Amino acid sequence: MKKWILGLTLGLWAGLASASLATHSFTLDNGLKVLVREDHRAPVVTVMVWFKAGSIDEAPFETGLAHVLEHMMFKGTEKLQPGDFSKLVARYGGSDNAFTSYDYTAYFQQYEVSRLPLALELEAERLANLQIDDDEFYRELQVVLEERRMRTDDNPNALAWEKFQAVARPGTGYAHPIIGWRSLLSQLQPEQARSWFQRFYVPGNATLVIAGDVTRKQVEPLVKKFFDDLPAGETPPRPKQTVNPPAGERRIDLTLPVKVPTLFMTYNVPSLVTAEDKRDFYALTMLSGVLDGGMSARIETDLVRGQKLVAGAGASYTGIQRGNGTFTLQAAPNPGISLDEVESALREQIKKLQTTLPSEEEMARVRAGVLAGQVYEKDSVMGQAMELGTLSTLGLDLALSEKFGDELAKVTAEDVQRVAQQWLVPERLAVGHVQPEQGEGK
Amino acid sequence: MSIELRVTSFEKHSAVQGAAWCGGLLLRVATVVSAIWLSACASLNPAANFPTTEAQVAASQPGAPVLDIQSWQTAEGAKVLFVASDALPMLDIRLVMDAGSARDGDQAGLASMTSALLGEGTKGLNVDDIARGFEDRGAEFSSSSYRDMGVISLRTLSDPEFREPVLDLFGKVIGTPSFPEEALARIRTQMMQGLRMEKQVPGPQVNKAFMATLYEGHPYGIASDGTLESLPAIQRKQLEQFYESYYAAGNAVIAMVGAVSREQAEAIAAQISAALPAGEAAPTLARATPLQSRKREHITFPSAQTSILIGNQSTWRGNPDHVALYVGNMVLGGGGFASILTDEVRQKRGYVYGIGSGFSAMASGGPFRVSFQTANENADQALSLTLQLVEQFIQQGPTDSQLEEARTSILGGFALGTADNSDIIGQLGAIGFYDLPLDYLQQFSQQVRAVGAEEIRQAFQRALNADNLAIVSIGPKAPEIVPVDEAPGSELAAVADEAGRGKE
């Protein structure tokens, strides 16, 4: 069946991903790391600043602080009134936003390329001169509480996920929600935000990414002009993350106002950062693709179409993290199918991976998807900036993407079986069942 | 067709102008995003001489690339739009048919289900063969359905070794769908589970109620993804008929962007067009009429926030006021942080995380819509304030300086709209489907340059009457219109006090 694809994999695929674009890297004296990606297809530019400061850096009493500070970065500075930042971006046709993750906080501006000097000057200004006013802080905290209501409190699946994460990743910074536990979030104080800013928002803890219709020659003097004078400050220490010992099998049963039950299963596994043997990362990536790499992968073929147990299901390996990774399965059963039945079917899928080697066709298909995906990803300038920022912030090889295909090609069916046996074991598993309230969802 | 299960969906922007970006292999991370959006505004008073680069930036002429769109008709009457781009070894194809839920008739969900079953089977190939056929070669196939349109998308590597077998399969999948009974039953169940899941959260419920309120009796009022009552009644025969009528070559636009030559593009378009059923463009639908008096709808739901939508039928594709409404709306609520609504309702009072407004022009009508969510205790104030701001804007229009800010913003950001192949294919699909001139983007920017404040005010008054706006809400109780609290400053102490005590 379609043996020819194997030939293709070795020959044609090899030439594809090598259409790589120029990336330049330099570091200022104060420690700011600068990455420049040249993509001259259109006269646009994306400017991002990434900080190694995310919700996993929060102490237990200050959950939500990284994200609240992110909101405050759009308020006042020495030279800007609250709101002026985004208004200036808008006036010159740009868009701006930011996002806070477990591992980092990142800011971006996107423009037509002649706006580059403005983008850099604005970023430098808030990094040098942010001012956190008490009244502004409290008002913005109300906005963040609205954000929490919208995203989590009024969405029972999101609420369930939040509770499940606390059980699925015990004893790590990933156990608390990025947006913060409601009661602690609402008690945050302006002084905590100021101290967070002073601690983490120093040049040595940041990466500036500029991607688009630019050259290093054009960018470097501008960057120096606006960022060279920032004092180096002290770069906060970062503990080395290692693979955790198994936490033991855990279960959580939730009754919430859902109309359709949901199943979560998470295994605690190594990430690319924490894996002692980096091949485990690539093998887990292949394993994830075999289970859920598209409509032809096992979950869609066996569970959705074959056994018709679930209306929707998915598996994903989150292996690009500062701490350990997760391998997560989620499913919503069809009417009349219990969560226990779905859980058994998913455990059966894991067992199959542990006992039977995946076929060469499956392995080739996963690699095809990944390699083609690398070409498609280059269509987005923002996507390229995101990739560079993530890799830099996690201390990973910037050329990871280029090497990805080769690394995946080295993974054998035996490797996939081995990581399934080694990591997808009960003592690394958390299971969550979310059931509707009485009388619902029948 | 998939049910959204990934609850780690913090990576999307706020509901106001959701634009999901990115998401490669490396980027499956949970993030919380604050809603800071394209904006345009007046009253900017940064400290003197800051930013030092502003004069330079203001003086530079922003580049606005002109798309070289090539267009022709296939022998069967499909309209083709093509942009050659060899920067990346890939090809995007998008078919846009007049096959949206506006064509459902009395069978809500028919268009949606027809679309969902494409790719589930074709002559001689079952769904497994099809899925493997695309995925073995790294190709991405999808179909989706909206009110006006049925859309089929294909992304493939452009090298002929990949492209040719993928296009061959694509032709079979879209040209001879078999609508297997097994797939119909399975997808019906999935869609019904999807509808049940929507009832868990306020957003989809209030959005559906809003469209049903505005378009009662018009095809746009049909629930696009069907209802728990309508879906069980849909038969295979109806899907076949719907497909034969509305997926016809004469009812299709074929948009293409990527690394192929004009000759290759012509051959590909001819191949696709010949695969489709023969047939004409669908007949034009009657234009929807606006509500003539205020309508209130409320859904009682035990949520922490009240979600509110305000609006009316107000525009359509081809409306000569389109540019005036678009530019005016940038000032009112479409421009994110600098627009009046975000400034007053979020920035000054902290009532909402996101608030925005927009006109969405469809072929036979299109709503003006303001939407926001707010804590239940603030719902009366937030609603009353928003109504007041909208009413004021309809009466007064923008100031000259507000207009100038919006104009600079739109023109300055023009290049961003056609930067990626995925941006371009979207533009081509819309230009083709709505019969816009090939130089539509240039015409649009010329009109943005020319439009005046008084013209915008008059256009708003033609499009909207503040007394006739529908108010549709969901939450524990229906919000009421009350006198608006004037001074945001006086509330600050209370806000600080509440947060400081940890009352939340």
Side-chain angles (χ1 to χ4, degrees):
Chain A
M1 181 189 60
K2 298 194 183 65
K3 285 289 179 202
W4 58 269
I5 196 77
L6 300 176
L8 274 187
T9 311
L10 301 175
L12 257 170
W13 287 111
L16 264 175
S18 60
S20 64
L21 299 160
T23 309
H24 313 284
S25 168
F26 56 95
T27 304
L28 302 188
D29 291 343
N30 57 22
L32 180 72
K33 188 169 176 188
V34 185
L35 301 174
V36 181
R37 164 66 56 87
E38 293 192 37
D39 180 345
H40 300 288
R41 287 177 302 156
V44 298
V45 66
T46 296
V47 172
M48 300 193 81
V49 186
W50 293 69
F51 297 95
K52 294 173 190 171
S55 66
I56 67 164
D57 299 293
E58 293 163 350
F61 58 85
E62 60 182 12
T63 67
L65 183 54
H67 173 241
V68 170
L69 191 271
E70 178 228 294
H71 276 236
M72 296 314 294
M73 287 284 280
F74 294 90
K75 297 294 184 177
T77 71
E78 203 172 279
K79 298 181 183 121
L80 293 167
Q81 291 298 303
D84 281 353
F85 187 101
S86 294
K87 288 173 185 174
L88 270 165
V89 173
R91 176 184 286 183
Y92 295 101
S95 62
D96 62 338
N97 208 332
F99 43 88
T100 307
S101 158
Y102 292 114
D103 292 331
Y104 49 75
T105 308
Y107 300 79
F108 69 82
Q109 301 177 62
Q110 293 172 283
Y111 294 95
E112 186 277 333
V113 70
S114 70
R115 276 61 174 135
L116 176 64
L118 178 67
L120 295 173
E121 187 173 16
L122 285 174
E123 285 299 353
E125 166 63 12
R126 64 177 165 186
L127 195 46
N129 298 318
L130 186 73
Q131 292 182 340
I132 297 174
D133 173 78
D134 284 1
D135 287 346
E136 288 291 342
F137 178 88
Y138 289 120
R139 190 158 39 212
E140 197 59 24
L141 192 56
Q142 295 304 108
V143 169
V144 175
L145 285 163
E146 290 301 330
E147 184 178 357
R148 196 195 136 90
R149 286 187 186 100
M150 186 189 82
R151 292 184 188 280
T152 308
D153 299 326
D154 281 346
N155 182 344
N157 257 343
L159 208 54
W161 180 254
E162 182 179 275
K163 292 170 193 291
F164 176 67
Q165 287 301 98
V167 174
R169 308 185 79 177
T172 74
Y174 300 93
H176 72 257
I178 296 165
I179 200 162
W181 299 115
R182 163 168 282 281
S183 70
L184 295 169
L185 172 62
S186 63
Q187 294 179 67
L188 290 176
Q189 299 293 324
E191 192 43 45
Q192 290 171 286
R194 288 180 200 118
S195 131
W196 185 269
F197 178 75
Q198 281 153 16
R199 182 169 160 212
F200 289 110
Y201 282 59
V202 293
N205 204 38
T207 301
L208 171 66
V209 184
I210 303 166
D213 191 11
V214 294
T215 59
R216 172 170 177 169
K217 202 176 152 202
Q218 167 199 5
V219 159
E220 196 167 345
L222 273 174
V223 170
K224 290 198 163 139
K225 179 176 170 193
F226 293 114
F227 290 89
D228 248 356
D229 291 342
L230 288 171
E234 277 188 47
T235 305
R238 321 193 68 213
K240 180 176 154 55
Q241 304 260 4
T242 52
V243 176
N244 294 338
E249 187 165 355
R250 291 136 283 156
R251 292 191 72 88
I252 174 171
D253 288 299
L254 295 163
T255 302
L256 285 166
V258 294
K259 307 285 179 190
V260 175
T262 305
L263 173 72
F264 303 130
M265 295 169 70
T266 287
Y267 292 91
N268 306 115
V269 299
S271 66
L272 181 57
V273 173
T274 64
E276 282 168 28
D277 184 347
K278 302 300 176 202
R279 283 181 305 180
D280 284 10
F281 166 79
Y282 295 101
L284 283 164
T285 300
M286 288 298 291
L287 184 153
S288 163
V290 168
L291 263 189
D292 183 19
M295 291 292 286
S296 60
R298 291 183 183 180
I299 284 186
E300 287 291 332
T301 306
D302 297 345
L303 301 187
V304 178
R305 296 201 295 269
Q307 303 175 54
K308 296 188 174 51
L309 293 176
V310 294
S316 60
Y317 170 44
T318 306
I320 304 281
Q321 296 241 321
R322 250 165 71 191
N324 285 296
T326 51
F327 184 80
T328 296
L329 300 142
Q330 294 183 49
N334 275 327
I337 308 293
S338 71
L339 290 179
D340 286 338
E341 287 169 85
V342 176
E343 186 185 332
S344 300
L346 286 171
R347 283 178 184 265
E348 202 51 47
Q349 288 288 337
I350 299 297
K351 197 170 155 199
K352 193 171 151 195
L353 286 164
Q354 290 163 337
T355 52
T356 316
L357 295 175
S359 71
E360 252 331 291
E361 283 83 6
E362 286 178 297
M363 301 281 282
R365 195 175 303 128
V366 176
R367 286 192 287 264
V370 170
L371 288 166
Q374 278 171 19
V375 175
Y376 303 156
E377 271 173 28
K378 295 245 160 44
D379 189 38
S380 164
V381 174
M382 177 77 191
Q384 296 178 56
M386 288 283 296
E387 181 180 308
L388 289 175
T390 308
L391 295 172
S392 168
T393 302
L394 269 57
L396 294 167
D397 182 357
L398 295 180
L400 182 71
S401 178
E402 268 73 41
K403 298 175 187 163
F404 217 86
D406 291 342
E407 293 295 338
L408 288 186
K410 291 182 203 157
V411 176
T412 63
E414 286 76 13
D415 291 330
V416 172
Q417 185 176 50
R418 179 184 61 76
V419 291
Q421 288 168 353
Q422 184 175 351
W423 298 111
L424 306 186
V425 292
E427 59 267 34
R428 293 191 168 273
L429 172 65
V431 180
H433 283 202
V434 187
Q435 298 280 8
E437 287 159 345
Q438 281 294 318
E440 283 286 356
K442 296 298 168 204
Chain B
M1 160 82 226
S2 72
I3 291 181
E4 184 55 49
L5 274 174
R6 303 206 192 281
V7 283
T8 44
S9 61
F10 281 114
E11 53 207 318
K12 292 198 176 112
H13 289 272
S14 98
V16 182
Q17 286 198 18
W21 31 263
C22 197
L25 182 75
L26 298 173
L27 305 172
R28 270 192 180 174
V29 288
T31 53
V32 172
V33 182
S34 72
I36 315 284
W37 272 102
L38 261 180
S39 42
C41 90
S43 73
L44 203 54
N45 281 316
N49 299 326
F50 185 86
T52 60
T53 51
E54 187 176 4
Q56 175 199 344
V57 166
S60 67
Q61 268 307 321
V66 176
L67 282 187
D68 179 16
I69 305 175
Q70 306 181 46
S71 180
W72 63 92
Q73 294 247 323
T74 65
E76 296 80 11
K79 183 197 224 172
V80 185
L81 290 95
F82 167 59
V83 169
S85 165
D86 59 4
L88 293 169
M90 57 190 264
L91 171 68
D92 280 289
I93 298 179
R94 178 173 296 186
L95 308 192
V96 187
M97 327 282 197
D98 191 334
S101 64
R103 307 290 172 181
D104 275 355
D106 52 9
Q107 201 71 69
L110 181 57
S112 206
M113 202 176 273
T114 306
S115 162
L117 272 136
L118 296 174
E120 287 287 334
T122 178
K123 219 184 279 173
L125 298 176
N126 69 21
V127 57
D128 296 324
D129 302 325
I130 295 170
R132 284 194 294 259
F134 286 126
E135 290 171 4
D136 277 346
R137 299 168 180 89
E140 297 174 353
F141 167 86
S142 67
S143 58
S144 52
S145 173
Y146 306 88
R147 284 196 162 71
D148 278 343
M149 309 174 186
V151 175
I152 302 171
S153 303
L154 179 72
R155 174 168 268 194
T156 179
L157 297 166
S158 53
D159 189 299
E161 295 276 354
F162 298 95
R163 189 185 81 216
E164 283 169 7
V166 163
L167 283 170
D168 207 45
L169 177 61
F170 184 67
K172 288 181 191 149
V173 167
I174 62 167
T176 49
S178 56
F179 301 106
E181 286 286 1
E182 178 277 326
L184 171 59
R186 169 165 44 80
I187 283 172
R188 191 196 327 264
T189 305
Q190 285 181 337
M191 286 175 73
M192 290 172 71
Q193 288 295 77
L195 291 178
R196 291 184 185 106
M197 287 173 107
E198 279 186 4
K199 300 248 169 171
Q200 297 170 181
V201 285
Q205 298 184 61
V206 74
N207 277 311
K208 285 185 168 177
F210 180 75
M211 290 304 281
T213 303
L214 255 57
Y215 295 101
E216 196 179 348
H218 187 273
Y220 286 164
I222 295 169
S224 294
D225 45 2
T227 66
L228 291 175
E229 293 71 40
S230 74
L231 291 178
I234 293 177
Q235 307 290 318
R236 179 166 179 266
K237 187 92 202 134
Q238 294 170 303
L239 301 177
E240 287 175 337
Q241 281 165 0
F242 190 92
Y243 168 80
E244 286 294 327
S245 312
Y246 297 113
Y247 283 78
N251 199 34
V253 169
I254 303 172
M256 286 182 283
V257 181
V260 291
S261 67
R262 163 77 186 233
E263 291 67 35
Q264 286 163 339
E266 280 187 29
I268 293 167
Q271 186 187 354
I272 291 171
S273 170
L276 294 171
E280 304 285 299
T284 307
L285 295 168
R287 170 122 28 102
T289 51
L291 302 174
Q292 296 303 317
S293 61
R294 171 152 297 168
K295 239 170 136 178
R296 296 286 307 259
E297 294 289 338
H298 181 76
I299 302 167
T300 304
F301 190 75
S303 45
Q305 284 183 319
T306 302
S307 303
I308 301 175
L309 295 176
I310 302 169
N312 202 348
Q313 154 59 28
S314 63
T315 190
W316 66 95
R317 280 284 166 171
N319 182 351
D321 285 338
H322 176 67
V323 169
L325 294 175
Y326 179 84
V327 177
N329 183 64
M330 286 289 284
V331 177
L332 172 62
F337 258 59
S339 48
I340 294 169
L341 293 178
T342 302
D343 200 39
E344 294 287 336
V345 188
R346 170 171 165 161
Q347 294 285 80
K348 291 206 178 125
R349 293 173 177 82
Y351 287 156
V352 299
Y353 171 61
I355 181 166
S357 66
F359 293 88
S360 12
M362 296 183 283
S364 316
F368 167 75
R369 175 204 321 247
V370 182
S371 93
F372 58 93
Q373 307 83 26
T374 183
N376 295 324
E377 63 267 27
N378 290 334
D380 293 351
Q381 273 298 320
L383 169 63
S384 309
L385 171 67
T386 303
L387 275 175
Q388 185 182 311
L389 294 168
V390 171
E391 188 170 352
Q392 268 171 16
F393 192 81
I394 296 170
Q395 277 169 14
Q396 297 164 8
T399 64
D400 284 337
S401 67
Q402 284 172 330
L403 169 58
E404 193 46 42
E405 304 284 353
R407 199 197 313 274
T408 321
S409 174
I410 295 166
L411 296 172
F414 220 65
L416 293 172
T418 53
D420 305 340
N421 288 7
S422 18
D423 300 328
I424 296 171
I425 196 93
Q427 303 277 11
L428 295 189
I431 289 172
F433 185 81
Y434 291 115
D435 258 328
L436 305 171
L438 295 185
D439 64 349
Y440 172 74
L441 294 172
Q442 287 91 285
Q443 287 190 21
F444 182 86
S445 72
Q446 278 160 16
Q447 287 170 10
V448 169
R449 271 177 239 280
V451 72
E454 177 56 21
E455 209 178 316
I456 290 173
R457 195 178 69 91
Q458 288 178 15
F460 264 74
Q461 292 186 352
R462 277 191 289 275
L464 293 169
N465 175 340
D467 296 332
N468 299 346
L469 295 171
I471 300 169
V472 182
S473 50
I474 186 167
K477 105 180 196 345
E480 287 169 25
I481 299 171
V482 296
V484 172
D485 291 342
E486 282 300 327
S490 66
E491 287 181 4
L492 267 185
V495 166
D497 194 24
E498 184 186 327
R501 284 200 313 270
K503 190 178 155 204
E504 266 304 323

